[in-house]
Amino acid sequence: MAINWTEAQIEEVVASVIRSLKPERAESCDSWSAESYGGRRLIGVFADMNEAIEAASRGYKAVRAMTLEEREKVIANIRTLCREEAPKMAALGVAETKMGRVDHKTAKHILVADKTPGTADIRSEAKTGDFGLTLTEMAPFGVVGSITPSTNPSETVICNSIGMIAAGNGVVFNPHPNAIATSNYAVDLVNRASAMAGGPEVLVASVVKPTLETADVMYKHPNIRLLVCTGGPGVVKSVLSSGKKAIGAGAGNPPVIVDDTADVKKAGKDIIDGCSFDNNLPCIAEKEVFAFDSIADELIGAMEENGAYRISRALADKLAEIVLVDKKNPKTGVTSKIVNRDCVGRDARVILEKVGIHVGDNVRCIICETDFEHPFVQHELMMPILPIVRVKNIDEAIELAVKAEHGCRHTAHMHSKNIDNLTRFARAVETTIFVKNAPSYAGIGFGGEGHTTFTIAGPTGEGLTSAKSFTRQRRCVMSESFRII
Ligand code: NAD
């Protein structure tokens, strides 16, 4: 499970990505759809959600019949295929969604392969005393219905599959419609891994055309015992209103504070590394910075040295009119700003072209100084644009950063060597993830300790989900026996 992101490995990943982009791969990448890849039908993908649930139910029965060793064999094969096919899935994800970066998506898949916990995550508990032995075991729910996002599509399908199968569940997916080919490719990969280990041909299932209606079938089907939703506020709310046990992994708007004790040069580099990772698609990525006035100029300089392109306030206002658009709520008639899907996850270079600025691929991120009320601070943009707000002191920094997080309690970051300041912000912001003095991705195990996940369940409290999050407790009591001391 250990992962060492040495330079040699990173070079190998980059080399494999370049190999994956050779013309023959690009051609086969052309022939993808929600149900086939390169002319081969994807396994486990059904026209109808009810059929998919029936198939996942058979998959669940097969998992129940497996020994732990057999489950681990399936998971080991998923890890191997995920590592081998990471560049292919990364290229497909970018081609289909037009979002993100192939090299970073490749790294995300390798992270999932290496650091998603398997069956070892499931631990039983024994309590002994005068009355004998009580055993608590972590049992599967049954068939899990999983709703997955467009931002980390195949990563989430594979990460969820490893954890849910390790816990002994079956899984049916309702993937994001904009990433259906990529998500279903990952469903097929899990099923190929199962067959390689002697498991069922269809272990996990999905549909050709996921919609809100197919999600509703999932919510209501008696075989679905647990719903897991990774996505924005709308879909998380709908899952939590389903009347079923649900795990909700929702939106965030992670603030970063940089105080006057920070290693400012390192902070500038770390923030740009984190903010520009996969073009800011990860929900944990830095979204707005609150910098002490005394170090703000040095911080901005360090960011510029590390691939940030600074724009003026006037240009930031012009860009805000492009990357955010008006949407009228048909029920209430109220118009509000939402992100322009044509800009989400795009390269900084492409976004700058929209305001007539032409730069090279060395520009990883757009930065600008704004005030707190600016839409770049208030909205979860999911694109490489980073507003910087100057603050006088730690009181103002914490007050504004907590407000900008909007109570999502998702993720926050801080660069400081003052343990009192660090502790105060961590206590005030109450986020599931709090990263100190590192890029945001350290919070999901990439250059930081701990397991990885792409389903971070703040609203329902499971935190960084893993196999044990997808289990239910069962107790077995042996009265007046089996205490051997
Ligand atoms: P999204 O909210 O647009 O869609 C997520 C999924 O929900 C898709 O399958 C979509 O078809 C479906 N969906 C949308 N509305 C629905 C409804 N009312 N009923 C049923 N299904 C519905 O998500 P996205 O744009 O792909 O992802 C971005 C959002 O997800 C961001 O807000 C991001 O922060 C969040 N996210 C959170 C995590 C986490 O772990 N907490 C991880 C990834 C993404």
Side-chain angles (χ1 to χ4, degrees), residues 312-326:
S312 66
R313 171 63 198 253
L315 204 55
D317 291 346
K318 192 172 164 194
L319 196 56
E321 293 295 317
I322 296 168
V323 303
L324 290 158
V325 289
D326 288 331

Side-chain angles (χ1 to χ4, degrees), residues 99 146-153 156 174-179 210-216 219 229-239 248-254 281-284 287 339 341 344 380 382 410-411 444 453-459 463 465:
M99 302 193 296
S146 174
I147 293 184
T148 54
S150 60
T151 47
N152 319 304
T156 308
N174 194 63
H176 198 290
N178 298 347
T211 58
L212 296 185
E213 287 70 37
T214 56
D216 203 49
Y219 297 170
C229 173
T230 312
V235 64
V236 168
K237 193 171 165 210
S238 85
V239 164
N253 193 34
L281 289 177
C283 50
I284 54 154
K287 300 282 190 286
V339 285
R341 285 275 157 187
V344 173
E380 185 199 25
M382 295 182 287
H410 193 299
T411 298
I444 53 165
T453 183
F454 280 84
T455 298
I456 299 151
T465 56

Side-chain angles (χ1 to χ4, degrees), residues 31 54 109 115 130 163 225 241 273 296 311 322 344 397 405 437:
S31 61
E54 293 307 324
H109 284 87
K115 292 194 88 173
D130 293 344
R225 299 298 189 108
S241 320
D273 285 349
I311 59 170
I322 296 168
V344 173
E405 213 270 329
N437 300 325

Side-chain angles (χ1 to χ4, degrees), residues 151-211:
T151 47
N152 319 304
S154 36
E155 300 90 315
T156 308
V157 166
I158 294 173
C159 187
N160 275 190
S161 295
I162 292 176
M164 290 166 187
I165 292 165
N169 297 292
V171 199
V172 61
F173 290 96
N174 194 63
H176 198 290
N178 298 347
I180 186 60
T182 313
S183 309
N184 283 352
Y185 186 93
V187 166
D188 172 83
L189 179 148
V190 172
N191 287 327
R192 281 186 281 133
S194 166
M196 278 163 61
E201 198 198 338
V202 177
L203 181 55
V204 299
S206 177
V207 286
V208 177
K209 202 170 180 308
T211 58

